Amino acid sequence: MRELVFALDYDPGWNTLADTLADFPDARVRSLSLHATADSLWRVDHATGSPDALSAIEDAFLTADYYADCLATEPCGADSETEVLDETDDTLVLYTYWQRTPVCTSIPHLALEHLGDGLLFETQHEQRRHTWRIIHPEDADIHGFFDALHAELSADVNVEIIRLTGLSATNTATFSAEEGTLTREQREALTAAVHHGFYNTPREIDLGELAEELGLPRSTLTYRVRRAEAEIIKQYMNHDPVSPSDPTS
C-alpha cells in the first residue's frame, strides 16, 4: 500500500466550510470515518473550537445548498442529510450521508475511479486548507487521479502535493526525479515556489502572488507547476522503492 497526502486551498467564496473556518483560526474539523461507494458517500466529522466557532460550523454543515465534499460549484441535485451526533462546549460530532446524481463528483469518488477499491481516507479542515490523506494500492493511477481532480476544480483552488510514500514497517520510501524530465520553465517554477514558501505549512504565498512576483500570468505559472507535479507523480508511481529480495515485499 502507498500513502498520498495533498491539500486544497480555497479562495474566499468557493467553499462554505472554508469560509467559515477562515473566521475562526483556532477551529478544526477532522474526519473520524469516511466511506464511499459508486453512488453514495457517508462520513463522521469531529470539530473542535470555541462555542461561536462550533455554532458557525454546524450552520455551515446544516444549511449548505449542497454537500461540501461535492466538487460542483453549485447545487447538483444530490440528496444529503446531516445530523449532530454529539455536542459539548468545545466539540461537535456530525454525521453526513450523500446520495449522488450523475453530475455529482467528489474526491472520494475520483479516488475510487482512479485509485481502486480498499481505500482509506482521512481529512482535516483548517481555515481555508482542506488536507486529504489516502492509503491506496501500489498500482493506483495517481497521474489519472490528479488529472481528473484538476479538471473538476476551479483555477482558483490550489492543489499542493504534500507527500507520496510507500508504506512499510518504517512508513518510508525514497524517490528522486530523473534528470531531464522537467522543462527549464517547470524547474524554475518549482524552484521559485519552494523559495517563496508555496510548499510551506502554513503556505507563505499563493500562486497568484507568486505569479506577480515572477512577472508571469497566473495561468502560465499554474500550468507549469501542475505539469511538473504531474510528471514527478508519474515517475514516482513507476518507481519501485521495495527490493524484490526484501522479505517484507
Side-chain angles (χ1 to χ4, degrees):
M1 300 293 286
R2 296 181 184 269
E3 177 190 38
L4 166 63
V5 183
F6 63 96
L8 307 182
D9 289 306
Y10 290 96
D11 285 349
W14 286 99
N15 183 279
T16 302
L17 183 57
D19 288 341
T20 300
L21 290 172
D23 293 331
F24 300 95
D26 293 332
R28 303 285 186 275
V29 179
R30 63 182 177 88
S31 59
L32 297 180
S33 63
L34 197 165
H35 308 276
T37 66
D39 56 8
S40 64
L41 181 149
W42 61 100
R43 61 185 294 161
V44 176
D45 291 291
H46 180 269
T48 59
S50 67
D52 286 344
L54 296 182
S55 177
I57 290 169
E58 180 178 346
D59 186 65
F61 270 87
L62 296 179
T63 64
D65 290 333
Y66 57 99
Y67 183 50
D69 261 345
C70 184
L71 294 177
T73 56
E74 59 185 28
C76 61
D79 292 326
S80 66
E81 59 179 281
T82 300
E83 297 181 15
V84 176
L85 298 182
D86 190 30
E87 187 171 8
T88 67
D89 288 341
D90 57 2
T91 63
L92 179 67
V93 180
L94 296 140
Y95 166 81
T96 302
Y97 176 79
W98 174 39
Q99 187 76 29
R100 295 179 75 190
T101 66
V103 296
C104 292
T105 191
S106 70
I107 288 174
H109 290 113
L110 292 179
L112 284 177
E113 181 178 350
H114 296 278
L115 305 183
D117 297 325
L119 305 175
L120 297 177
F121 298 96
E122 181 180 272
T123 70
Q124 180 162 291
H125 290 263
E126 299 177 78
Q127 298 186 58
R128 297 197 180 281
R129 167 161 285 211
H130 189 185
T131 303
W132 287 80
R133 178 175 183 256
I134 304 176
I135 306 301
H136 60 85
E138 293 195 8
D139 59 352
D141 182 9
I142 295 289
H143 185 66
F145 169 74
F146 276 105
D147 276 350
L149 179 60
H150 286 309
E152 293 289 342
L153 291 174
S154 162
D156 293 309
V157 181
N158 292 320
V159 181
E160 176 187 345
I161 301 167
I162 298 173
R163 188 164 61 251
L164 284 166
T165 63
L167 292 180
S168 64
T170 59
N171 195 33
T172 60
T174 59
F175 166 73
S176 60
E178 298 174 7
E179 289 291 331
T181 56
L182 302 182
T183 67
R184 178 178 60 82
E185 291 82 2
Q186 289 169 347
R187 287 185 177 276
E188 289 176 350
L190 287 184
T191 299
V194 171
H195 177 73
H196 287 84
F198 176 73
Y199 291 107
N200 290 355
T201 302
R203 176 168 288 167
E204 298 177 10
I205 195 171
D206 63 30
L207 285 181
E209 295 167 335
L210 182 57
E212 289 184 9
E213 184 77 19
L214 299 177
L216 293 171
R218 174 171 178 160
S219 59
T220 298
L221 180 63
T222 299
Y223 177 80
R224 290 176 182 176
V225 169
R226 288 181 174 176
R227 294 315 303 167
E229 290 175 343
E231 182 60 35
I232 291 172
I233 291 169
K234 184 165 59 176
Q235 283 189 40
Y236 175 82
M237 296 312 298
N238 290 332
H239 174 76
D240 184 4
V242 181
S243 168
S245 61
D246 191 327
T248 65
S249 63

